[in-house]
Amino acid sequence: MIFQDPMTSLNPTMKLGKQISEVLKIHRNMNSKEAKEEAIRLFKAVHITNPEQRINQYPFELSGGMRQRVIIAMAIACNPKIIIADEPTTALDVTIQAQIMELIHELKEEMETSIILITHDLGVVREFADRINVMYAGKIIEGGTVEEVFKKSKHPYTWALLKSMPTLDSDIKSELYSLGGTPPDLLEPPIGCPFCARCEYAMEICKEKMPERTDLSTTHFTCCWLTHEYAESVE
Ligand code: SF4
């Protein structure tokens, strides 16, 4: 797991080498010497300079980007099949964001691991994802390949997300699109479509029944009554 905020994800009272060695001793049964050597190797793998010195430092001595590299080194320490990265670059500045995303991508290829990337940043999604699941109010409402979601989206919430993204040819004088209303209260979730109160295409059925999943291709699906009706009409 790679957490969102590298400033609070590490133990501030422990040296970095000790934090990573703990993982290696518990999960890979290494002794202290082996764990130290492996910690240095992992620091090198995530491009931390002077790893032999870094393992003796505390988190406060490192920048945000460097700390996120340490977190990534810990995340890959047990050769995971899946890494969950929860907004891994939100707390970092833009140039460091790009470096961290490049690193995660590089490790994914090298280790043949899968990444579940949770993010609000559609630019990052477009560049790094293979498959996308769009979530609203705790539910997946559309899924597909990058091409399908960005170019052939069929769900009004995905349309709103894409419309709110600035592009290079956007008119700089016009205001950015923003979706009105607020998400539903999940303590009292609506019976029908959770997006109903904010959807300009809402129909009667949307208030009464949760939309069923409609498969539009082997990889593309949506949960929206609009698409359901469309799919039925072309059957
Ligand atoms: S099911 Fe209805 S309310 Fe929900 S997104 Fe589709 S059209 Fe809008």
Side-chain angles (χ1 to χ4, degrees):
M1 175 96 200
I2 302 168
F3 294 100
Q4 190 175 113
D5 184 2
M7 303 317 235
T8 54
S9 309
L10 292 163
N11 185 332
T13 66
M14 278 169 80
K15 287 183 178 169
L16 299 165
K18 196 167 175 202
Q19 299 195 42
I20 197 162
S21 297
E22 203 171 52
V23 178
L24 298 165
K25 284 181 189 168
I26 292 171
H27 294 286
R28 291 177 59 189
N29 295 323
M30 290 184 175
N31 60 34
S32 298
K33 184 170 173 285
E34 289 166 339
K36 186 178 170 192
E37 283 167 9
E38 181 65 359
I40 291 171
R41 190 193 70 77
L42 286 164
F43 275 22
K44 278 186 191 153
V46 296
H47 309 308
I48 291 178
T49 49
N50 303 323
E52 291 84 0
Q53 282 88 54
R54 296 282 188 199
I55 56 167
N56 290 316
Q57 289 185 312
Y58 287 95
F60 78 87
E61 296 176 84
L62 267 61
S63 66
M66 275 294 168
R67 288 187 212 191
Q68 196 60 310
R69 287 177 192 270
V70 174
I71 306 272
I72 295 171
M74 285 169 110
I76 62 171
C78 298
N79 301 317
K81 290 200 172 73
I82 300 174
I83 297 174
I84 302 172
D86 181 10
E87 299 265 12
T89 58
T90 309
L92 306 172
D93 71 48
V94 179
T95 43
I96 305 298
Q97 280 181 9
Q99 290 171 13
I100 293 292
M101 283 314 302
E102 284 298 337
L103 173 64
I104 292 175
H105 186 66
E106 178 192 315
L107 293 170
K108 179 187 107 152
E109 299 292 316
E110 269 173 24
M111 298 174 56
E112 296 184 348
T113 185
S114 298
I115 311 270
I116 298 176
L117 174 67
I118 302 162
T119 181
H120 289 96
D121 189 332
L122 293 175
V124 167
V125 170
R126 188 165 200 161
E127 194 166 340
F128 292 99
D130 299 314
R131 287 189 47 75
I132 302 172
N133 282 328
V134 183
M135 294 189 74
Y136 185 78
K139 296 206 172 333
I140 296 172
I141 50 92
E142 179 158 20
T145 61
V146 173
E147 172 84 11
E148 283 166 338
V149 172
F150 275 85
K151 297 262 175 68
K152 300 176 195 165
S153 157
K154 293 279 185 234
H155 195 286
Y157 178 61
T158 315
W159 294 339
L161 277 182
L162 295 173
K163 242 163 81 179
S164 64
M165 234 179 114
T167 59
L168 281 178
D169 46 14
S170 303
D171 178 359
I172 52 167
K173 289 194 185 125
S174 64
E175 278 189 23
L176 264 183
Y177 172 80
S178 80
L179 179 63
T182 50
D185 177 359
L186 292 185
L187 292 175
E188 285 181 56
I191 312 164
C193 172
F195 190 55
C196 190
R198 306 172 82 185
C199 179
E200 57 184 287
Y201 305 92
M203 302 166 281
E204 266 318 299
I205 191 173
C206 307
K207 287 187 213 148
E208 291 153 16
K209 241 177 124 187
M210 186 70 85
E212 289 166 18
R213 173 180 161 139
T214 308
D215 289 314
L216 301 160
S217 75
T218 49
T219 48
H220 190 192
F221 66 88
T222 66
C223 301
C224 171
W225 287 118
L226 276 181
T227 327
H228 193 73
E229 290 193 343
Y230 165 77
E232 276 183 351
S233 71
V234 293
E235 265 171 14

